[in-house]
Amino acid sequence: MFDLPLPIHPTASARGFPPHFLSGNTDPSHPFALTLSRRAPADLLTGRAAPLVLSRFATLAEAMQDAIDHAEGMAPDAAPQFLAIIDRDERLVLAGAASDHAVAWCHPVMSAAEARGVVTEASQLRAQAGRASAWGEPDLARRLRHRADLLDGRLVDPLWRTLAARALQVAA
């Protein structure tokens, strides 16, 4: 259905690769992990496209703050990075795009019907990106895939939807 794997659902443990921690706290007892999507062609081809775990946190607020700190540490001309916060059971809690020293959080869907609409729209964007690549438009394809990733970031696990929406209200 999609031309690329979802960037927010880790697959490394299912394929036998242990999660890789870049830095920070690696305590597995902490329930939240801040992850960075990896979309390098080599990672996609080898099945190691699972997100890179940057650090683990005891609270969602700490994970959100570290995402902001990560964005503030990015170079001003760096490409946007897709960050996701997952729980210890690898369910999506919150996601967003880090760029320009800030994180643009994706607001979670609030119903199954809204989730189906988001999946449909993301699938259509990826199909358009595939056609743009075939037509020799790599920049357009990249932008369309990024938009699809942002839509995927709204597919928060039903367990976390209300808390994630409330956390975004408080943060605003």
Side-chain angles (χ1 to χ4, degrees):
M1 184 166 151
F2 297 119
D3 62 332
L4 293 173
L6 291 175
I8 53 178
H9 298 291
T11 57
S13 57
R15 294 199 175 132
F17 296 103
H20 174 72
F21 292 92
L22 183 63
S23 63
N25 189 350
T26 61
D27 186 351
S29 69
H30 290 310
F32 299 101
L34 177 64
T35 66
L36 174 66
S37 176
R38 294 190 290 188
R39 288 222 174 238
D43 288 334
L44 292 170
L45 293 173
T46 61
R48 292 183 301 197
L52 179 69
V53 176
L54 299 176
S55 194
R56 298 195 70 84
F57 302 92
T59 67
L60 178 57
E62 290 172 352
M64 291 174 71
Q65 183 59 51
D66 196 64
I68 293 166
D69 293 344
H70 176 81
E72 288 175 349
M74 292 174 57
D77 59 343
Q81 295 180 345
F82 193 77
L83 300 175
I85 299 171
I86 58 173
D87 68 7
R88 69 172 51 110
D89 294 323
E90 299 181 351
R91 294 178 293 222
L92 179 64
V93 178
L94 193 60
S99 65
D100 297 326
H101 302 289
V103 178
W105 296 109
C106 302
H107 289 274
V109 297
M110 295 311 289
S111 68
E114 189 177 2
R116 283 190 296 276
V118 165
V119 168
T120 300
E121 187 176 351
S123 178
Q124 290 170 348
L125 286 170
R126 286 195 174 86
Q128 291 173 5
R131 287 191 296 274
S133 285
W135 294 334
E137 296 286 342
D139 290 336
L140 175 60
R142 182 185 45 76
R143 287 192 310 270
L144 289 168
R145 285 190 182 101
H146 180 72
R147 284 181 46 204
D149 289 346
L150 291 177
L151 285 172
D152 285 341
R154 297 189 61 210
L155 299 175
V156 169
D157 189 87
L159 175 71
W160 294 108
R161 288 177 185 165
T162 304
L163 179 67
R166 181 70 181 132
L168 292 177
Q169 286 176 344
V170 169

